[in-house]
Amino acid sequence: MRERYLTAADGSVAYVSVDGDMVDLIAHVYYGSHLGNTERVYDANPGLSARGPVLPAGVVVKLPELPVKAATAKPFRRLWD
């Protein structure tokens, strides 16, 4: 599946579908989870949902970057005190 990813000059990433691909599977493979990421992919690709749940071959799907989460400091624990 990785060989179907393209990187544009601006650094953005896109995926070229094969017959039978589904957006949630594309999101799951690329991001490691489809929860919330499937919606991000649909938001970045107006009209993609009109194609239905199963994509035909040759559809270019933009894969947006994930928003950067603010780092939260976790308390440090020593295993041996």
Side-chain angles (χ1 to χ4, degrees), residues 8 12-14 16 21-22 26-27 30 35-37 42 44 47 49 56 60-61 65-66 71-73 75 78-79 81:
S12 63
V13 177
V16 180
D21 273 342
M22 299 179 75
I26 295 167
Y30 185 72
L35 297 175
N37 295 320
Y42 277 120
S49 61
V60 177
V61 179
E65 289 185 31
L66 294 178
T72 56
R78 292 179 183 244
L79 297 177
D81 278 331

Side-chain angles (χ1 to χ4, degrees), residues 5-80:
Y5 291 96
L6 307 171
T7 303
D10 65 358
S12 63
V13 177
Y15 174 81
V16 180
S17 69
V18 295
D19 196 38
D21 273 342
M22 299 179 75
V23 176
D24 60 342
L25 178 61
I26 295 167
H28 179 77
V29 170
Y30 185 72
Y31 298 110
S33 170
H34 66 85
L35 297 175
N37 295 320
T38 302
E39 291 80 3
R40 284 185 185 92
V41 172
Y42 277 120
D43 289 343
N45 295 276
L48 183 62
S49 61
R51 294 183 172 270
V54 180
L55 299 176
V59 176
V60 177
V61 179
K62 296 176 191 173
L63 299 169
E65 289 185 31
L66 294 178
V68 178
K69 294 181 181 179
T72 56
K74 293 184 179 181
F76 180 76
R77 288 190 174 179
R78 292 179 183 244
L79 297 177
W80 297 274

